[in-house]
Amino acid sequence: SAVISQKPSRDICQRGTSLTIQCQVDSQVTMMFWYRQQPGQSLTLIATANQGSEATYESGFVIDKFPISRPNLTFSTLTVSNMSPEDSSIYLCSVDRDRNNYGYTFGSGTRLTVV
Amino acid sequence: TQLLEQSPQFLSIQEGENLTVYCNSSSVFSSLQWYRQEPGEGPVLLVTVVTGGEVKKLKRLTFQFGDARKDSSLHITAAQPGDTGLYLCAGAAGYAGGTSYGKLTFGQGTILTVHP
């Protein structure tokens, strides 16, 4: 199954600034998924990133706040824009392990703290 | 909106005890996936159950998918301190390439602590 390198692993940011999170996959994948894990809570899907098309966002998440790039089949970025303390979370990317919807590989996550 | 209720949220037990974690939903899932997450890491897939009534065993861990594919359980026999971690169930709707592809619904998670 795929191996994902995600960075940064953690960051502390000032409110009002933006942070870009990168995920690099060691194999080509059609779709990449971005999740948020708020403190003490479970994972919530932010958006699905397809190469060559606009990302598809879930209810409650908008492109202006969480712009996503997918320039090729092995790389994606998620930007958290105009940050507030409420954006403090762990952000994770994932890919379908075997392309059959039966299991996903996750990056190690980016722990973001907004002060 | 699909919901997956996971319980209990916290579990603190002694080494050697048995435990069961439950995930329940009113929705039907095409598969139910169980993950374990360590601090500072992403979730790691333990097992996927696909067929209603399916039972899978992974050493001391037993996973079951309900007949109607709406619920699942994880049973750990003779828990060890190395089992400590966050356990997450996740339901997958649809199939690869479908409109719901990749949209996992996660349970709230169970934080398991096994004391030596």
Side-chain angles (χ1 to χ4, degrees):
Chain A
S1 59
V3 176
I4 301 176
S5 298
Q6 182 173 346
K7 59 181 180 181
S9 58
R10 59 177 62 231
D11 207 341
I12 300 174
C13 300
Q14 296 291 324
R15 67 176 67 203
T17 63
S18 298
L19 176 72
T20 296
I21 301 166
Q22 301 179 4
C23 272
Q24 178 75 50
V25 188
D26 68 347
S27 59
Q28 294 185 341
V29 292
T30 304
M31 301 172 79
M32 294 180 70
F33 306 92
W34 287 96
Y35 284 85
R36 181 174 72 183
Q37 186 173 26
Q38 294 181 298
Q41 297 189 28
S42 192
L43 282 77
T44 301
L45 181 65
I46 297 172
T48 302
N50 275 334
Q51 194 270 333
S53 63
E54 291 285 334
T56 303
Y57 289 83
E58 298 301 302
S59 176
F61 298 96
V62 294
I63 187 171
D64 290 345
K65 177 67 175 177
F66 298 100
I68 288 172
S69 77
R70 186 78 203 277
N72 57 54
L73 291 173
T74 63
F75 187 78
S76 180
T77 68
L78 170 76
T79 298
V80 186
S81 303
N82 189 25
M83 289 183 284
S84 66
E86 292 70 34
D87 295 319
S88 297
S89 292
I90 299 172
Y91 293 85
L92 302 115
C93 60
S94 76
V95 300
D96 189 339
R97 288 160 56 98
D98 301 309
R99 304 175 190 176
N100 59 8
N101 208 27
Y102 287 170
Y104 290 78
T105 298
F106 287 81
S108 55
T110 296
R111 182 178 292 273
L112 170 62
T113 302
V114 183
V115 298
Chain B
T1 303
Q2 294 181 310
L3 294 174
L4 201 50
E5 297 289 334
Q6 185 173 345
S7 63
Q9 188 175 357
F10 299 96
L11 206 48
S12 180
I13 61 173
Q14 293 296 127
E15 182 176 1
E17 293 183 5
N18 301 331
L19 67 110
T20 303
V21 179
Y22 300 93
C23 276
N24 297 289
S25 176
S26 58
S27 304
V28 176
F29 294 104
S30 59
S31 72
L32 205 297
Q33 303 165 21
W34 286 91
Y35 294 84
R36 179 177 161 186
Q37 185 177 19
E38 303 281 358
E41 299 293 330
V44 175
L45 181 70
L46 294 174
V47 82
T48 301
V49 283
V50 178
T51 306
E54 183 176 8
V55 176
K56 282 191 173 179
K57 292 191 175 183
L58 189 64
K59 297 184 180 179
R60 294 176 292 101
L61 279 62
T62 301
F63 304 84
Q64 188 162 4
F65 203 11
D67 290 340
R69 291 189 288 137
K70 294 181 179 181
D71 56 272
S72 182
S73 64
L74 157 61
H75 182 78
I76 301 180
T77 303
Q80 300 177 359
D83 296 326
T84 294
L86 172 64
Y87 290 82
L88 294 158
C89 60
Y95 299 89
T99 56
S100 298
Y101 177 47
K103 297 182 180 181
L104 295 180
T105 298
F106 278 86
Q108 297 94 323
T110 297
I111 298 175
L112 171 64
T113 304
V114 182
H115 302 279

